[in-house]
Amino acid sequence: MNGWIILDKPVGLGSTQAVGAVKRVCREAGLGKVKVGHGGTLDPLASGVLPIALGEATKLCGRMLDASKIYDFTIAFGTETAGLDAEGEIVASSDVRPTLAEIEAVLPRFTGPIEQVPPAYSAIKIDGQRAYDLARKGEAVEMKARSVTIHSLRHAGFDPASIPAGDDSTPDQVRGDEGEGQLTAITLTAHVSKGTYIRSLARDIAHAVGTVGHVTMLRRTKAGPFDLSQAISLDKLNAFGQGAAQSEIILPLEAGLVDIPALNLSPEAAGAIRQGRVWTGGCTEDGLYWGRDSDMRPVALIEALAGTLKVVRGFNL
């Protein structure tokens, strides 16, 4: 069993719990013990695209962690919480409410390479301990700024249909988005690099317009090559354990490689690469490829350099 399950993770479910659910469903479907991993943590209070790898696809989890991601998120203005989200105590408040024009005027400051201070309530390790564990103990947590890239950032409006049934994370105070009145909240769409904290981005945008704020809705709409059109609900995942067709649930391993060009390998080259040997005589441009054999099966991630093909990560298919 090798491939991907793209889960539309509901609010309240942690990424580790989602992996556990996939393992359970695979057992129920009679697949036995399957190696499972996820391609990027999604907070329990967030929903959306969570790529879960099965079998040999777990070898691509590192690439998925490094991939850029797209989020829709809502900032509610007027209060800032300890966790910068809908949970946690209020640590700051303000009567200032920005206009749409004021927000759009500051968004360019947060586009491109930026320095960002992660939330104290995060999984970053400080002296071997998770920052959120220290914060929950009431200890002072000094988070160091890190470099991230915001590829794009724009006002998204708010489409209630984009939120799955049963997800109550949508704020009911999103008003005034289309006018120049003061906003109680706004929904933005951000395309970001790995390591970006949307909660920190929301905090900093609120500060830039002279107020405070926190995230009340966070939904990941794309992770690497995967988007919501490929995602399944938790109910559909559970149906797999009750006999639903595998083709409706599991994407092939190569679905996680669509952003890399494919390279057709001769039987001789495929055999050498399966053995981990460098193959010479590969007439292709330098770069990263995924090699496939004459049956179109993925053989390996391959680096082409100066006419040679070298294995980056092999697949045992």
Side-chain angles (χ1 to χ4, degrees), residues 32-273:
K33 188 175 182 180
V34 179
K35 189 175 182 181
V36 181
H38 67 75
T41 300
L42 199 55
D43 289 346
L45 292 181
S47 67
V49 175
L50 180 63
I52 299 179
L54 308 177
E56 289 295 287
T58 58
K59 294 178 178 179
L60 298 173
C61 283
R63 287 197 72 252
M64 208 58 58
L65 292 171
D66 289 342
S68 65
K69 302 181 176 65
I70 299 178
Y71 296 89
D72 289 341
F73 63 105
T74 299
I75 311 171
F77 298 110
T79 55
E80 182 176 312
T81 64
L84 303 179
D85 54 24
E87 290 187 345
E89 63 177 323
I90 294 174
V91 296
S93 60
S94 172
D95 293 329
V96 175
R97 300 293 182 272
T99 65
L100 177 58
E102 289 172 333
I103 293 170
E104 291 186 329
V106 303
L107 293 186
R109 300 187 205 172
F110 301 97
T111 304
I114 66 170
E115 292 291 309
Q116 181 185 78
V117 177
Y121 285 83
S122 65
I124 294 173
K125 285 190 175 182
I126 299 176
D127 296 329
Q129 297 188 65
R130 299 290 185 186
Y132 55 65
D133 288 332
L134 297 173
R136 286 167 184 160
K137 293 176 184 177
E139 297 183 24
V141 180
E142 182 179 352
M143 307 300 294
K144 295 181 179 180
R146 55 170 56 188
S147 298
V148 298
T149 300
I150 312 299
H151 301 293
S152 65
L153 179 62
R154 61 182 176 83
H155 171 228
F158 175 65
D159 178 11
S162 68
I163 303 301
D167 187 338
D168 60 0
S169 63
T170 306
D172 60 9
Q173 74 274 34
V174 181
R175 294 190 288 266
D177 289 277
E178 304 305 327
E180 287 305 304
Q182 293 180 325
L183 303 181
T184 58
I186 191 169
T187 300
L188 303 174
T189 296
H191 179 196
V192 303
S193 71
K194 70 171 183 177
T196 301
Y197 280 90
I198 298 297
R199 287 176 290 153
S200 292
L201 182 61
R203 172 200 62 203
D204 295 344
I205 290 170
H207 289 178
V209 292
T211 186
V212 295
H214 65 277
V215 170
T216 57
M217 185 278 289
L218 177 60
R219 182 156 173 77
R220 187 156 70 192
T221 61
K222 189 173 184 181
F226 300 117
D227 60 30
L228 285 170
S229 69
Q230 299 158 296
I232 62 170
S233 67
L234 197 57
D235 286 344
K236 191 168 184 178
L237 173 67
N238 289 329
F240 178 48
Q242 305 304 315
Q246 179 176 315
S247 60
E248 297 179 3
I249 307 296
I250 301 175
L251 299 177
L253 179 148
E254 53 265 37
L257 297 169
V258 296
D259 55 340
I260 304 174
L263 184 63
N264 295 323
L265 301 172
S266 67
E268 295 78 14
I273 288 170

